[in-house]
Amino acid sequence: NQNDELAIDSIVDKFLGFENFIKLEKLPYDKIHHVDMHMRLLDEETILIGEFPEGVADGPQIEENIDFLLSNFKTSFGTDFKIHRISMPADENGQFADENGACSDIGKGCYYTYTNAFFINELILVPIYFDGVGMDQVALNQWRKLMPGYKVVGIDCSEIIKEYGAIHCLTKEIGVVDPLRIVHKRIEKICPEEKSEVSAKI
């Protein structure tokens, strides 16, 4: 109910400092309901979205959630979010997690994901499932294209995904005591012959 939602918003604001806490409808077949299983913020303006074949598994609800997000929210810079897609692979049997079950059931589709990645400084660890070939290689190449300057490494998650999570679900950052954060809007156009001003929040 609305009171519960306001109470949750208050807790999130108190502990995390979020003034705008966006909540999306949960997906019907994602057993753990972690948004990082199908969505990953690459920066303040860019979201990588796991994409199923049309009408398959959680695909329809993900699309509804993205429509809701884009129709109701802006980035912290007041701009529209940029959306990139990355395929959600079927398991080794060609199945997706859907009404027929999940991967803990023998012969059922696992919730394989390439968005459940983890950033460590200039390194990005991306879950892979098929020895780094086929869809794994396509996903790694897509990550590299989207994140120039980062080293992207695939980590075999074919066994741990059966516990309903991959790299991001099973890791936790250890931050510095006094962190420095510098953020600015992405520079879209720059002319080398002219001076350009960049405003940053530090």
Side-chain angles (χ1 to χ4, degrees), residues 5 7 15 19 29-30 41 60 62 66 68 88 92 99 104 110 117 119 130 136 139 148 166 170 178 183 193:
E5 185 171 339
F15 285 94
E19 295 177 5
Y29 307 117
D30 175 6
L41 278 167
I62 290 173
I66 296 307
F68 168 76
M88 300 285 275
E92 61 275 8
E99 66 273 0
S104 61
C110 280
F119 290 62
F130 311 108
D136 284 351
L170 299 176
D178 189 17
V183 62
E193 290 79 25

Side-chain angles (χ1 to χ4, degrees), residues 150-171:
Y150 286 83
K151 182 177 182 181
V152 176
V153 176
I155 301 292
D156 184 359
C157 292
S158 55
E159 289 301 315
I160 62 174
I161 199 64
K162 296 172 184 175
E163 303 299 325
Y164 303 115
I167 298 168
H168 193 261
C169 286
L170 299 176
T171 51

Side-chain angles (χ1 to χ4, degrees), residues 15 20 27 38 41 55 58-59 62 79-81 91 94 102 131 147 165 188-189 192:
F15 285 94
N20 193 10
L27 306 184
H38 67 277
L41 278 167
D58 280 330
I62 290 173
T79 57
D80 292 328
F81 285 98
D91 69 10
D131 296 324
M147 304 300 290
E188 302 290 349
K189 296 178 182 177

Side-chain angles (χ1 to χ4, degrees), residues 14 25 30 47 57 64 77 97 101 116 121 127 136 163 175 179-180 187 193 196 198-199:
K14 179 179 179 181
E25 287 294 324
D30 175 6
I47 307 175
E64 284 185 30
F77 303 112
N116 201 255
N121 299 324
D136 284 351
E163 303 299 325
L180 172 63
I187 301 167
E193 290 79 25
S196 298
V198 177
S199 177

Side-chain angles (χ1 to χ4, degrees), residues 6-139:
L6 291 173
I8 291 169
D9 287 351
S10 176
I11 292 168
V12 169
D13 183 32
K14 179 179 179 181
F15 285 94
L16 300 175
F18 291 173
E19 295 177 5
N20 193 10
F21 183 33
I22 301 171
K23 292 170 276 306
L24 304 173
E25 287 294 324
K26 71 179 183 180
L27 306 184
Y29 307 117
D30 175 6
K31 300 288 186 185
I32 60 173
H33 309 301
H34 287 191
V35 72
D36 57 359
M37 291 293 282
H38 67 277
M39 183 184 297
R40 180 74 172 142
L41 278 167
L42 302 183
D43 59 35
E44 285 76 10
E45 300 176 277
T46 313
I47 307 175
L48 183 62
I49 304 290
E51 184 175 48
F52 288 96
E54 186 174 352
V56 170
D58 280 330
Q61 186 61 60
I62 290 173
E63 294 308 312
E64 284 185 30
N65 288 352
I66 296 307
D67 288 345
F68 168 76
L69 173 71
L70 297 178
S71 298
N72 293 282
F73 300 97
K74 299 285 186 183
T75 72
S76 59
F77 303 112
T79 57
D80 292 328
F81 285 98
K82 295 176 181 68
I83 302 295
H84 294 278
R85 308 283 183 157
I86 192 166
S87 292
M88 300 285 275
D91 69 10
E92 61 275 8
N93 299 311
Q95 296 179 300
F96 293 96
D98 55 22
E99 66 273 0
N100 297 314
C103 66
S104 61
D105 307 315
I106 301 300
K108 304 298 184 183
C110 280
Y111 209 100
Y112 286 3
T113 167
Y114 293 121
T115 61
N116 201 255
F118 191 71
F119 290 62
I120 308 171
N121 299 324
E122 295 175 3
L123 173 69
I124 305 174
L125 303 179
V126 176
I128 58 173
Y129 309 95
F130 311 108
D131 296 324
V133 299
M135 289 191 74
D136 284 351
Q137 192 58 54
V138 171

